[in-house]
PDB file of all heavy atoms in Angstrom:
ATOM      1  N   GLY A 116     -68.037 103.998-132.847  1.00  0.00           N
ATOM      2  CA  GLY A 116     -68.725 103.346-131.743  1.00  0.00           C
ATOM      3  C   GLY A 116     -70.123 102.898-132.098  1.00  0.00           C
ATOM      4  O   GLY A 116     -70.621 103.160-133.194  1.00  0.00           O
ATOM      5  N   PHE A 117     -70.729 102.201-131.121  1.00  0.00           N
ATOM      6  CA  PHE A 117     -72.074 101.669-131.260  1.00  0.00           C
ATOM      7  C   PHE A 117     -72.855 101.928-129.980  1.00  0.00           C
ATOM      8  O   PHE A 117     -72.276 102.038-128.911  1.00  0.00           O
ATOM      9  CB  PHE A 117     -72.058 100.139-131.447  1.00  0.00           C
ATOM     10  CG  PHE A 117     -71.158  99.650-132.522  1.00  0.00           C
ATOM     11  CD1 PHE A 117     -69.871  99.203-132.229  1.00  0.00           C
ATOM     12  CD2 PHE A 117     -71.591  99.609-133.835  1.00  0.00           C
ATOM     13  CE1 PHE A 117     -69.039  98.729-133.219  1.00  0.00           C
ATOM     14  CE2 PHE A 117     -70.763  99.141-134.836  1.00  0.00           C
ATOM     15  CZ  PHE A 117     -69.483  98.701-134.531  1.00  0.00           C
ATOM     16  N   VAL A 118     -74.167 101.951-130.108  1.00  0.00           N
ATOM     17  CA  VAL A 118     -75.041 102.032-128.949  1.00  0.00           C
ATOM     18  C   VAL A 118     -76.334 101.296-129.314  1.00  0.00           C
ATOM     19  O   VAL A 118     -76.752 101.312-130.470  1.00  0.00           O
ATOM     20  CB  VAL A 118     -75.287 103.503-128.516  1.00  0.00           C
ATOM     21  CG1 VAL A 118     -75.979 104.301-129.582  1.00  0.00           C
ATOM     22  CG2 VAL A 118     -75.992 103.586-127.201  1.00  0.00           C
ATOM     23  N   PHE A 119     -76.936 100.626-128.321  1.00  0.00           N
ATOM     24  CA  PHE A 119     -78.116  99.811-128.575  1.00  0.00           C
ATOM     25  C   PHE A 119     -79.182 100.083-127.527  1.00  0.00           C
ATOM     26  O   PHE A 119     -78.883 100.440-126.393  1.00  0.00           O
ATOM     27  CB  PHE A 119     -77.759  98.311-128.510  1.00  0.00           C
ATOM     28  CG  PHE A 119     -76.583  97.957-129.355  1.00  0.00           C
ATOM     29  CD1 PHE A 119     -75.328  97.803-128.791  1.00  0.00           C
ATOM     30  CD2 PHE A 119     -76.728  97.780-130.714  1.00  0.00           C
ATOM     31  CE1 PHE A 119     -74.234  97.486-129.560  1.00  0.00           C
ATOM     32  CE2 PHE A 119     -75.638  97.462-131.502  1.00  0.00           C
ATOM     33  CZ  PHE A 119     -74.391  97.313-130.924  1.00  0.00           C
ATOM     34  N   ASP A 120     -80.431  99.841-127.926  1.00  0.00           N
ATOM     35  CA  ASP A 120     -81.542  99.905-126.987  1.00  0.00           C
ATOM     36  C   ASP A 120     -82.750  99.262-127.646  1.00  0.00           C
ATOM     37  O   ASP A 120     -82.631  98.685-128.729  1.00  0.00           O
ATOM     38  CB  ASP A 120     -81.846 101.347-126.568  1.00  0.00           C
ATOM     39  CG  ASP A 120     -82.307 101.442-125.113  1.00  0.00           C
ATOM     40  OD1 ASP A 120     -83.148 100.609-124.710  1.00  0.00           O
ATOM     41  OD2 ASP A 120     -81.836 102.333-124.396  1.00  0.00           O
ATOM     42  N   ALA A 121     -83.900  99.370-127.008  1.00  0.00           N
ATOM     43  CA  ALA A 121     -85.140  98.816-127.546  1.00  0.00           C
ATOM     44  C   ALA A 121     -86.282  99.764-127.234  1.00  0.00           C
ATOM     45  O   ALA A 121     -86.235 100.512-126.248  1.00  0.00           O
ATOM     46  CB  ALA A 121     -85.413  97.444-126.937  1.00  0.00           C
ATOM     47  N   ILE A 122     -87.293  99.755-128.088  1.00  0.00           N
ATOM     48  CA  ILE A 122     -88.505 100.531-127.860  1.00  0.00           C
ATOM     49  C   ILE A 122     -89.707  99.604-128.014  1.00  0.00           C
ATOM     50  O   ILE A 122     -89.603  98.516-128.581  1.00  0.00           O
ATOM     51  CB  ILE A 122     -88.633 101.729-128.828  1.00  0.00           C
ATOM     52  CG1 ILE A 122     -88.611 101.269-130.291  1.00  0.00           C
ATOM     53  CG2 ILE A 122     -87.566 102.756-128.553  1.00  0.00           C
ATOM     54  CD1 ILE A 122     -88.880 102.379-131.292  1.00  0.00           C
ATOM     55  N   LYS A 123     -90.844 100.060-127.502  1.00  0.00           N
ATOM     56  CA  LYS A 123     -92.070  99.268-127.588  1.00  0.00           C
ATOM     57  C   LYS A 123     -92.704  99.422-128.967  1.00  0.00           C
ATOM     58  O   LYS A 123     -92.817 100.542-129.475  1.00  0.00           O
ATOM     59  CB  LYS A 123     -93.074  99.735-126.536  1.00  0.00           C
ATOM     60  CG  LYS A 123     -92.617  99.514-125.124  1.00  0.00           C
ATOM     61  CD  LYS A 123     -93.644 100.069-124.150  1.00  0.00           C
ATOM     62  CE  LYS A 123     -93.051 100.051-122.767  1.00  0.00           C
ATOM     63  NZ  LYS A 123     -93.166 101.318-122.085  1.00  0.00           N
ATOM     64  N   VAL A 124     -93.105  98.310-129.547  1.00  0.00           N
ATOM     65  CA  VAL A 124     -93.867  98.357-130.788  1.00  0.00           C
ATOM     66  C   VAL A 124     -95.227  98.960-130.463  1.00  0.00           C
ATOM     67  O   VAL A 124     -95.864  98.571-129.481  1.00  0.00           O
ATOM     68  CB  VAL A 124     -94.001  96.948-131.409  1.00  0.00           C
ATOM     69  CG1 VAL A 124     -94.922  96.967-132.623  1.00  0.00           C
ATOM     70  CG2 VAL A 124     -92.632  96.397-131.783  1.00  0.00           C
ATOM     71  N   THR A 125     -95.645  99.941-131.230  1.00  0.00           N
ATOM     72  CA  THR A 125     -96.856 100.763-131.048  1.00  0.00           C
ATOM     73  C   THR A 125     -96.797 101.613-129.779  1.00  0.00           C
ATOM     74  O   THR A 125     -97.821 102.134-129.345  1.00  0.00           O
ATOM     75  CB  THR A 125     -98.177  99.932-131.055  1.00  0.00           C
ATOM     76  OG1 THR A 125     -98.247  99.144-129.873  1.00  0.00           O
ATOM     77  CG2 THR A 125     -98.307  99.088-132.291  1.00  0.00           C
ATOM     78  N   GLY A 126     -95.605 101.794-129.217  1.00  0.00           N
ATOM     79  CA  GLY A 126     -95.458 102.574-127.989  1.00  0.00           C
ATOM     80  C   GLY A 126     -95.287 104.052-128.268  1.00  0.00           C
ATOM     81  O   GLY A 126     -95.533 104.548-129.359  1.00  0.00           O
ATOM     82  N   ASP A 127     -94.791 104.750-127.239  1.00  0.00           N
ATOM     83  CA  ASP A 127     -94.514 106.180-127.365  1.00  0.00           C
ATOM     84  C   ASP A 127     -93.188 106.532-126.690  1.00  0.00           C
ATOM     85  O   ASP A 127     -93.011 107.635-126.192  1.00  0.00           O
ATOM     86  CB  ASP A 127     -95.661 107.009-126.788  1.00  0.00           C
ATOM     87  CG  ASP A 127     -95.906 106.741-125.309  1.00  0.00           C
ATOM     88  OD1 ASP A 127     -95.197 105.899-124.720  1.00  0.00           O
ATOM     89  OD2 ASP A 127     -96.795 107.385-124.741  1.00  0.00           O
ATOM     90  N   ASP A 128     -92.259 105.584-126.725  1.00  0.00           N
ATOM     91  CA  ASP A 128     -90.984 105.762-126.022  1.00  0.00           C
ATOM     92  C   ASP A 128     -89.788 106.005-126.935  1.00  0.00           C
ATOM     93  O   ASP A 128     -88.660 106.063-126.465  1.00  0.00           O
ATOM     94  CB  ASP A 128     -90.713 104.556-125.123  1.00  0.00           C
ATOM     95  CG  ASP A 128     -90.691 103.233-125.881  1.00  0.00           C
ATOM     96  OD1 ASP A 128     -91.219 103.177-127.013  1.00  0.00           O
ATOM     97  OD2 ASP A 128     -90.153 102.253-125.340  1.00  0.00           O
ATOM     98  N   SER A 129     -90.007 106.193-128.235  1.00  0.00           N
ATOM     99  CA  SER A 129     -88.864 106.342-129.146  1.00  0.00           C
ATOM    100  C   SER A 129     -88.054 107.598-128.860  1.00  0.00           C
ATOM    101  O   SER A 129     -86.826 107.558-128.852  1.00  0.00           O
ATOM    102  CB  SER A 129     -89.316 106.315-130.605  1.00  0.00           C
ATOM    103  OG  SER A 129     -90.170 107.395-130.895  1.00  0.00           O
ATOM    104  N   THR A 130     -88.715 108.712-128.593  1.00  0.00           N
ATOM    105  CA  THR A 130     -87.993 109.963-128.350  1.00  0.00           C
ATOM    106  C   THR A 130     -87.110 109.854-127.111  1.00  0.00           C
ATOM    107  O   THR A 130     -85.914 110.187-127.154  1.00  0.00           O
ATOM    108  CB  THR A 130     -88.988 111.133-128.217  1.00  0.00           C
ATOM    109  OG1 THR A 130     -89.724 111.242-129.442  1.00  0.00           O
ATOM    110  CG2 THR A 130     -88.270 112.439-127.934  1.00  0.00           C
ATOM    111  N   ASP A 131     -87.664 109.376-126.001  1.00  0.00           N
ATOM    112  CA  ASP A 131     -86.888 109.244-124.765  1.00  0.00           C
ATOM    113  C   ASP A 131     -85.745 108.243-124.921  1.00  0.00           C
ATOM    114  O   ASP A 131     -84.644 108.462-124.409  1.00  0.00           O
ATOM    115  CB  ASP A 131     -87.782 108.824-123.601  1.00  0.00           C
ATOM    116  CG  ASP A 131     -88.733 109.929-123.175  1.00  0.00           C
ATOM    117  OD1 ASP A 131     -88.442 111.113-123.448  1.00  0.00           O
ATOM    118  OD2 ASP A 131     -89.774 109.606-122.570  1.00  0.00           O
ATOM    119  N   THR A 132     -85.998 107.155-125.636  1.00  0.00           N
ATOM    120  CA  THR A 132     -84.952 106.143-125.822  1.00  0.00           C
ATOM    121  C   THR A 132     -83.828 106.684-126.692  1.00  0.00           C
ATOM    122  O   THR A 132     -82.649 106.480-126.392  1.00  0.00           O
ATOM    123  CB  THR A 132     -85.558 104.864-126.436  1.00  0.00           C
ATOM    124  OG1 THR A 132     -86.592 104.386-125.573  1.00  0.00           O
ATOM    125  CG2 THR A 132     -84.498 103.791-126.613  1.00  0.00           C
ATOM    126  N   ILE A 133     -84.168 107.397-127.748  1.00  0.00           N
ATOM    127  CA  ILE A 133     -83.138 107.988-128.609  1.00  0.00           C
ATOM    128  C   ILE A 133     -82.332 109.024-127.833  1.00  0.00           C
ATOM    129  O   ILE A 133     -81.101 109.087-127.961  1.00  0.00           O
ATOM    130  CB  ILE A 133     -83.762 108.565-129.892  1.00  0.00           C
ATOM    131  CG1 ILE A 133     -84.236 107.407-130.782  1.00  0.00           C
ATOM    132  CG2 ILE A 133     -82.770 109.462-130.633  1.00  0.00           C
ATOM    133  CD1 ILE A 133     -85.081 107.835-131.974  1.00  0.00           C
ATOM    134  N   LEU A 134     -82.997 109.810-126.999  1.00  0.00           N
ATOM    135  CA  LEU A 134     -82.263 110.766-126.149  1.00  0.00           C
ATOM    136  C   LEU A 134     -81.270 110.039-125.253  1.00  0.00           C
ATOM    137  O   LEU A 134     -80.116 110.463-125.116  1.00  0.00           O
ATOM    138  CB  LEU A 134     -83.235 111.583-125.298  1.00  0.00           C
ATOM    139  CG  LEU A 134     -83.844 112.794-125.960  1.00  0.00           C
ATOM    140  CD1 LEU A 134     -85.007 113.337-125.132  1.00  0.00           C
ATOM    141  CD2 LEU A 134     -82.792 113.861-126.188  1.00  0.00           C
ATOM    142  N   LYS A 135     -81.703 108.952-124.642  1.00  0.00           N
ATOM    143  CA  LYS A 135     -80.817 108.171-123.771  1.00  0.00           C
ATOM    144  C   LYS A 135     -79.627 107.624-124.567  1.00  0.00           C
ATOM    145  O   LYS A 135     -78.475 107.682-124.099  1.00  0.00           O
ATOM    146  CB  LYS A 135     -81.600 107.040-123.119  1.00  0.00           C
ATOM    147  CG  LYS A 135     -80.779 106.223-122.129  1.00  0.00           C
ATOM    148  CD  LYS A 135     -81.646 105.230-121.386  1.00  0.00           C
ATOM    149  CE  LYS A 135     -81.978 104.071-122.285  1.00  0.00           C
ATOM    150  NZ  LYS A 135     -82.607 102.941-121.605  1.00  0.00           N
ATOM    151  N   MET A 136     -79.876 107.127-125.760  1.00  0.00           N
ATOM    152  CA  MET A 136     -78.797 106.592-126.597  1.00  0.00           C
ATOM    153  C   MET A 136     -77.791 107.691-126.943  1.00  0.00           C
ATOM    154  O   MET A 136     -76.580 107.475-126.886  1.00  0.00           O
ATOM    155  CB  MET A 136     -79.368 105.984-127.882  1.00  0.00           C
ATOM    156  CG  MET A 136     -80.193 104.733-127.654  1.00  0.00           C
ATOM    157  SD  MET A 136     -81.075 104.190-129.141  1.00  0.00           S
ATOM    158  CE  MET A 136     -79.712 103.485-130.098  1.00  0.00           C
ATOM    159  N   CYS A 137     -78.300 108.859-127.275  1.00  0.00           N
ATOM    160  CA  CYS A 137     -77.418 109.968-127.661  1.00  0.00           C
ATOM    161  C   CYS A 137     -76.623 110.508-126.479  1.00  0.00           C
ATOM    162  O   CYS A 137     -75.467 110.917-126.629  1.00  0.00           O
ATOM    163  CB  CYS A 137     -78.236 111.093-128.287  1.00  0.00           C
ATOM    164  SG  CYS A 137     -78.992 110.638-129.856  1.00  0.00           S
ATOM    165  N   ARG A 138     -77.220 110.500-125.313  1.00  0.00           N
ATOM    166  CA  ARG A 138     -76.530 111.027-124.124  1.00  0.00           C
ATOM    167  C   ARG A 138     -75.399 110.117-123.661  1.00  0.00           C
ATOM    168  O   ARG A 138     -74.577 110.516-122.844  1.00  0.00           O
ATOM    169  CB  ARG A 138     -77.535 111.261-123.004  1.00  0.00           C
ATOM    170  CG  ARG A 138     -78.389 112.478-123.261  1.00  0.00           C
ATOM    171  CD  ARG A 138     -79.321 112.785-122.127  1.00  0.00           C
ATOM    172  NE  ARG A 138     -80.016 114.042-122.385  1.00  0.00           N
ATOM    173  CZ  ARG A 138     -81.316 114.203-122.257  1.00  0.00           C
ATOM    174  NH1 ARG A 138     -82.081 113.201-121.850  1.00  0.00           N
ATOM    175  NH2 ARG A 138     -81.864 115.365-122.514  1.00  0.00           N
ATOM    176  N   SER A 139     -75.360 108.890-124.191  1.00  0.00           N
ATOM    177  CA  SER A 139     -74.250 108.004-123.837  1.00  0.00           C
ATOM    178  C   SER A 139     -72.939 108.468-124.482  1.00  0.00           C
ATOM    179  O   SER A 139     -71.875 108.013-124.097  1.00  0.00           O
ATOM    180  CB  SER A 139     -74.562 106.561-124.256  1.00  0.00           C
ATOM    181  OG  SER A 139     -74.535 106.426-125.666  1.00  0.00           O
ATOM    182  N   ARG A 140     -73.041 109.372-125.439  1.00  0.00           N
ATOM    183  CA  ARG A 140     -71.868 109.946-126.098  1.00  0.00           C
ATOM    184  C   ARG A 140     -72.019 111.454-126.113  1.00  0.00           C
ATOM    185  O   ARG A 140     -72.935 111.978-126.729  1.00  0.00           O
ATOM    186  CB  ARG A 140     -71.767 109.442-127.539  1.00  0.00           C
ATOM    187  CG  ARG A 140     -71.383 108.006-127.701  1.00  0.00           C
ATOM    188  CD  ARG A 140     -69.920 107.752-127.351  1.00  0.00           C
ATOM    189  NE  ARG A 140     -69.016 108.455-128.196  1.00  0.00           N
ATOM    190  CZ  ARG A 140     -68.250 107.888-129.116  1.00  0.00           C
ATOM    191  NH1 ARG A 140     -68.315 106.588-129.308  1.00  0.00           N
ATOM    192  NH2 ARG A 140     -67.433 108.600-129.835  1.00  0.00           N
ATOM    193  N   CYS A 141     -71.125 112.152-125.448  1.00  0.00           N
ATOM    194  CA  CYS A 141     -71.235 113.607-125.383  1.00  0.00           C
ATOM    195  C   CYS A 141     -70.552 114.301-126.555  1.00  0.00           C
ATOM    196  O   CYS A 141     -70.598 115.520-126.662  1.00  0.00           O
ATOM    197  CB  CYS A 141     -70.666 114.123-124.067  1.00  0.00           C
ATOM    198  SG  CYS A 141     -68.916 113.747-123.854  1.00  0.00           S
ATOM    199  N   ASP A 142     -69.920 113.523-127.445  1.00  0.00           N
ATOM    200  CA  ASP A 142     -69.153 114.128-128.525  1.00  0.00           C
ATOM    201  C   ASP A 142     -69.846 114.102-129.876  1.00  0.00           C
ATOM    202  O   ASP A 142     -69.226 114.363-130.898  1.00  0.00           O
ATOM    203  CB  ASP A 142     -67.785 113.447-128.639  1.00  0.00           C
ATOM    204  CG  ASP A 142     -67.882 111.955-128.931  1.00  0.00           C
ATOM    205  OD1 ASP A 142     -68.981 111.376-128.800  1.00  0.00           O
ATOM    206  OD2 ASP A 142     -66.849 111.357-129.288  1.00  0.00           O
ATOM    207  N   VAL A 143     -71.162 113.833-129.920  1.00  0.00           N
ATOM    208  CA  VAL A 143     -71.851 113.823-131.206  1.00  0.00           C
ATOM    209  C   VAL A 143     -72.377 115.214-131.536  1.00  0.00           C
ATOM    210  O   VAL A 143     -72.815 115.959-130.655  1.00  0.00           O
ATOM    211  CB  VAL A 143     -72.983 112.771-131.269  1.00  0.00           C
ATOM    212  CG1 VAL A 143     -72.415 111.372-131.163  1.00  0.00           C
ATOM    213  CG2 VAL A 143     -74.041 113.005-130.237  1.00  0.00           C
ATOM    214  N   SER A 144     -72.308 115.559-132.817  1.00  0.00           N
ATOM    215  CA  SER A 144     -72.719 116.882-133.285  1.00  0.00           C
ATOM    216  C   SER A 144     -74.051 116.879-134.007  1.00  0.00           C
ATOM    217  O   SER A 144     -74.575 117.936-134.341  1.00  0.00           O
ATOM    218  CB  SER A 144     -71.658 117.451-134.231  1.00  0.00           C
ATOM    219  OG  SER A 144     -70.435 117.601-133.554  1.00  0.00           O
ATOM    220  N   TYR A 145     -74.584 115.705-134.303  1.00  0.00           N
ATOM    221  CA  TYR A 145     -75.883 115.601-134.958  1.00  0.00           C
ATOM    222  C   TYR A 145     -76.444 114.197-134.760  1.00  0.00           C
ATOM    223  O   TYR A 145     -75.722 113.271-134.410  1.00  0.00           O
ATOM    224  CB  TYR A 145     -75.814 115.939-136.452  1.00  0.00           C
ATOM    225  CG  TYR A 145     -74.892 115.052-137.243  1.00  0.00           C
ATOM    226  CD1 TYR A 145     -75.353 113.856-137.813  1.00  0.00           C
ATOM    227  CD2 TYR A 145     -73.559 115.398-137.448  1.00  0.00           C
ATOM    228  CE1 TYR A 145     -74.510 113.030-138.539  1.00  0.00           C
ATOM    229  CE2 TYR A 145     -72.718 114.581-138.176  1.00  0.00           C
ATOM    230  CZ  TYR A 145     -73.196 113.409-138.719  1.00  0.00           C
ATOM    231  OH  TYR A 145     -72.362 112.587-139.437  1.00  0.00           O
ATOM    232  N   VAL A 146     -77.751 114.072-134.998  1.00  0.00           N
ATOM    233  CA  VAL A 146     -78.454 112.792-134.896  1.00  0.00           C
ATOM    234  C   VAL A 146     -79.213 112.586-136.199  1.00  0.00           C
ATOM    235  O   VAL A 146     -79.841 113.522-136.708  1.00  0.00           O
ATOM    236  CB  VAL A 146     -79.461 112.784-133.727  1.00  0.00           C
ATOM    237  CG1 VAL A 146     -80.218 111.454-133.673  1.00  0.00           C
ATOM    238  CG2 VAL A 146     -78.779 113.077-132.406  1.00  0.00           C
ATOM    239  N   ILE A 147     -79.158 111.363-136.720  1.00  0.00           N
ATOM    240  CA  ILE A 147     -79.973 110.984-137.877  1.00  0.00           C
ATOM    241  C   ILE A 147     -80.735 109.725-137.509  1.00  0.00           C
ATOM    242  O   ILE A 147     -80.142 108.781-136.981  1.00  0.00           O
ATOM    243  CB  ILE A 147     -79.121 110.715-139.131  1.00  0.00           C
ATOM    244  CG1 ILE A 147     -78.287 111.929-139.515  1.00  0.00           C
ATOM    245  CG2 ILE A 147     -80.017 110.297-140.303  1.00  0.00           C
ATOM    246  CD1 ILE A 147     -77.332 111.682-140.688  1.00  0.00           C
ATOM    247  N   THR A 148     -82.033 109.721-137.765  1.00  0.00           N
ATOM    248  CA  THR A 148     -82.813 108.503-137.572  1.00  0.00           C
ATOM    249  C   THR A 148     -83.356 108.059-138.922  1.00  0.00           C
ATOM    250  O   THR A 148     -83.638 108.893-139.792  1.00  0.00           O
ATOM    251  CB  THR A 148     -83.998 108.706-136.602  1.00  0.00           C
ATOM    252  OG1 THR A 148     -84.924 109.639-137.157  1.00  0.00           O
ATOM    253  CG2 THR A 148     -83.510 109.179-135.244  1.00  0.00           C
ATOM    254  N   TRP A 149     -83.480 106.741-139.090  1.00  0.00           N
ATOM    255  CA  TRP A 149     -84.098 106.221-140.298  1.00  0.00           C
ATOM    256  C   TRP A 149     -85.600 106.164-140.033  1.00  0.00           C
ATOM    257  O   TRP A 149     -86.120 105.210-139.493  1.00  0.00           O
ATOM    258  CB  TRP A 149     -83.531 104.851-140.655  1.00  0.00           C
ATOM    259  CG  TRP A 149     -84.104 104.293-141.925  1.00  0.00           C
ATOM    260  CD1 TRP A 149     -84.913 103.199-142.029  1.00  0.00           C
ATOM    261  CD2 TRP A 149     -83.933 104.788-143.250  1.00  0.00           C
ATOM    262  NE1 TRP A 149     -85.246 102.999-143.350  1.00  0.00           N
ATOM    263  CE2 TRP A 149     -84.663 103.954-144.122  1.00  0.00           C
ATOM    264  CE3 TRP A 149     -83.233 105.870-143.790  1.00  0.00           C
ATOM    265  CZ2 TRP A 149     -84.711 104.158-145.499  1.00  0.00           C
ATOM    266  CZ3 TRP A 149     -83.281 106.068-145.168  1.00  0.00           C
ATOM    267  CH2 TRP A 149     -84.012 105.223-145.998  1.00  0.00           C
ATOM    268  N   GLY A 150     -86.253 107.265-140.355  1.00  0.00           N
ATOM    269  CA  GLY A 150     -87.688 107.382-140.186  1.00  0.00           C
ATOM    270  C   GLY A 150     -88.076 108.269-139.028  1.00  0.00           C
ATOM    271  O   GLY A 150     -87.321 108.428-138.063  1.00  0.00           O
ATOM    272  N   SER A 151     -89.241 108.869-139.149  1.00  0.00           N
ATOM    273  CA  SER A 151     -89.808 109.664-138.063  1.00  0.00           C
ATOM    274  C   SER A 151     -90.906 108.889-137.341  1.00  0.00           C
ATOM    275  O   SER A 151     -91.359 109.304-136.281  1.00  0.00           O
ATOM    276  CB  SER A 151     -90.362 110.991-138.595  1.00  0.00           C
ATOM    277  OG  SER A 151     -91.339 110.743-139.593  1.00  0.00           O
ATOM    278  N   ILE A 152     -91.326 107.777-137.925  1.00  0.00           N
ATOM    279  CA  ILE A 152     -92.307 106.897-137.294  1.00  0.00           C
ATOM    280  C   ILE A 152     -91.681 105.514-137.248  1.00  0.00           C
ATOM    281  O   ILE A 152     -91.438 104.892-138.280  1.00  0.00           O
ATOM    282  CB  ILE A 152     -93.632 106.853-138.076  1.00  0.00           C
ATOM    283  CG1 ILE A 152     -94.222 108.255-138.228  1.00  0.00           C
ATOM    284  CG2 ILE A 152     -94.619 105.922-137.377  1.00  0.00           C
ATOM    285  CD1 ILE A 152     -95.455 108.307-139.106  1.00  0.00           C
ATOM    286  N   LEU A 153     -91.401 105.045-136.046  1.00  0.00           N
ATOM    287  CA  LEU A 153     -90.786 103.734-135.858  1.00  0.00           C
ATOM    288  C   LEU A 153     -91.815 102.761-135.296  1.00  0.00           C
ATOM    289  O   LEU A 153     -92.828 103.179-134.724  1.00  0.00           O
ATOM    290  CB  LEU A 153     -89.594 103.848-134.898  1.00  0.00           C
ATOM    291  CG  LEU A 153     -88.508 104.860-135.247  1.00  0.00           C
ATOM    292  CD1 LEU A 153     -87.441 104.889-134.159  1.00  0.00           C
ATOM    293  CD2 LEU A 153     -87.897 104.567-136.604  1.00  0.00           C
TER     294      LEU A 153
END
């Protein structure tokens, strides 16, 4: 599957947005992000 969203450049919404993306699928066992600073 796929999931999409957007965050603000220089914002502080990446954590909340990633949480929302992950909650769209209850069957995931881990999360990987490319980078800790987006």
